[in-house]
Amino acid sequence: MGSLKLTGIRKSFGAVDVLKGIDLEVADGEFVIFVGPSGCGKSTLLRIIAGLEDASDGRVEIDGRDVSAVPPAKRGIAMVFQTYALYPHLTVRDNMALGLKQAGAAKDTIASQIEMASAMLSLEEYLQRRPAELSGGQRQRVAIGRAIVRDPELFLFDEPLSNLDAALRVNTRLEIARLHREIRSTMVYVTHDQVEAMTLADRIVVLNGGIIEQVGSPMELYNKPANRFVAGFIGSPQMNFLEAERAGEPGCASVGVRPEHFSVSRDGGRWSGEAVHVEHLGADTILYLDSKEVGTLTARLFGEHAFTAGDTLHVTPLEGQLYRFDADGRTLF
Ligand SMILES: Nc1ncnc2c1ncn2[C@@H]1O[C@H](COP(=O)(O)OP(=O)(O)O)[C@@H](O)[C@H]1O
Ligand SMILES: [Mg+2]
């Protein structure tokens, strides 16, 4: 069991308020991701859950128990960091065993836990190696293995894939998804990468400037962003934002259209523009348009299209795919 409840969490460093009142409940077995721009307080919040940092105010409960005064080692959690923090002089086996040994686990238990974790993470062949003899992806798997063997109620991950190259990032992402399916532990995971958040999370918590902008499933955030910040943060390329008056849309301050929600034509449409740049990606074609009416626009089309820079094109938002925002940036539904 590893439910988590945060109530009124605040954190200030000197005069700087980093977290401004965070309320959140995470159910047992849930995979929740904190996403947001650099410096918005994600790591600070995770460290407060872990007990590595004290909140200035508020309460952390794990399984209904107030752990505010409980030291990190006694919270039933395991944390995986961006830097793997492995002991260089210890083998993979000994790195994984260390936490259990320190907790006084029996030899048999340690051996069977390492067997289980190394099988799950395909590390059996590497147990006698030292970290320096492993690739970055393997090192991160060892760091995850070290967390698994302790059989925690709650896993905390802080940007665990940031130091991996693109291909390894995708692989390790798939492994973490599979791991969660298999062990069903509660996972709280921090990233600044919205693709990672979209692909792994049951629910995403969008943080910005020390507050929660929105909590929801990936598709809720994509389809019903509460405000312009969330609308712009989720989705790639980013949503287009147009001034309502220039776009000819009454009763709101601005409108938003996702690049994948335009139809594009040479003949006519709602807004016209000149293609200033075209990216042919094979699976997709990305058009960057400069429109006299509404400014710059990005459109993403499925498949290959013979458009080139200099073309005059017309774009129309797909039916029901135009978002409207008020002057404070809140979505008008
Ligand atoms: N120990 C600290 N002392 C002072 N300021 C800190 C400390 N830790 C974090 N901060 C500040 O708090 C803010 C949030 O940091 P952090 O939680 O690391 O953001 P994120 O993980 O979202 O990038 C940043 O402005 C950072 O400089
Ligand atoms: Mg961070």
Side-chain angles (χ1 to χ4, degrees), residues 11-14 16-19 35-47 53 158-159 190-192 207:
K11 179 68 181 178
S12 308
F13 290 109
V16 185
D17 297 330
V18 171
L19 296 173
V35 73
S38 180
C40 71
K42 304 180 296 293
S43 294
T44 303
L45 186 55
L46 204 69
R47 290 170 59 79
E53 195 87 66
D158 193 353
E159 310 227 12
V190 162
T191 178
H192 63 274
L207 290 166

Side-chain angles (χ1 to χ4, degrees), residues 178-229:
R178 185 172 54 81
L179 179 70
H180 181 251
R181 270 199 308 277
E182 284 174 11
I183 62 179
R184 284 280 137 206
S185 297
T186 314
M187 295 187 172
V188 178
Y189 184 113
V190 162
T191 178
H192 63 274
D193 178 351
Q194 55 100 11
V195 175
E196 235 169 273
M198 295 294 276
T199 51
L200 284 173
D202 294 321
R203 278 194 306 155
I204 297 175
V205 177
V206 182
L207 290 166
N208 182 32
I211 60 146
I212 293 179
E213 295 274 4
Q214 190 172 3
V215 181
S217 71
M219 283 309 117
E220 276 163 6
L221 297 194
Y222 179 85
N223 290 317
K224 292 185 162 27
N227 53 50
R228 263 183 71 145
F229 181 83

Side-chain angles (χ1 to χ4, degrees), residues 84 135-138 140 160-173 193 196:
Y84 323 117
S135 70
Q138 290 164 341
Q140 191 53 294
L161 308 185
S162 295
N163 284 347
L164 305 181
D165 65 39
L168 261 180
R169 225 171 17 239
V170 173
N171 274 335
T172 315
R173 196 172 81 201
D193 178 351
E196 235 169 273

Side-chain angles (χ1 to χ4, degrees), residues 12-155:
S12 308
F13 290 109
V16 185
D17 297 330
V18 171
L19 296 173
K20 301 171 184 166
I22 302 289
D23 297 304
L24 181 71
E25 288 194 47
V26 177
D28 182 44
E30 211 179 0
F31 199 145
V32 166
I33 297 200
F34 297 164
V35 73
S38 180
C40 71
K42 304 180 296 293
S43 294
T44 303
L45 186 55
L46 204 69
R47 290 170 59 79
I48 288 172
I49 298 168
L52 299 171
E53 195 87 66
D54 288 325
S56 308
D57 197 10
R59 195 168 63 239
V60 177
E61 290 164 69
I62 296 175
D63 269 336
R65 178 172 72 123
D66 186 340
V67 294
S68 305
V70 177
K74 297 241 149 57
R75 291 191 180 193
I77 54 169
M79 190 151 168
V80 178
F81 299 92
Q82 177 178 346
T83 52
Y84 323 117
L86 300 175
Y87 290 99
H89 59 288
L90 296 182
T91 62
V92 167
R93 175 185 292 281
D94 289 340
N95 264 288
M96 294 211 284
L98 195 62
L100 285 175
K101 273 190 191 150
Q102 283 167 348
K107 264 202 165 129
D108 293 359
T109 313
I110 296 177
S112 65
Q113 285 295 90
I114 289 178
E115 196 177 321
M116 175 274 297
S118 54
M120 203 175 267
L121 295 164
S122 312
L123 284 170
E124 295 110 318
E125 288 170 46
Y126 307 102
L127 288 173
Q128 295 313 321
R129 293 204 194 171
R130 282 172 223 286
E133 301 164 305
L134 301 175
S135 70
Q138 290 164 341
R139 280 179 221 173
Q140 191 53 294
R141 294 217 299 276
V142 176
I144 294 169
R146 188 178 48 184
I148 294 173
V149 295
R150 296 179 48 207
D151 197 17
E153 296 176 9
L154 183 57
F155 280 91

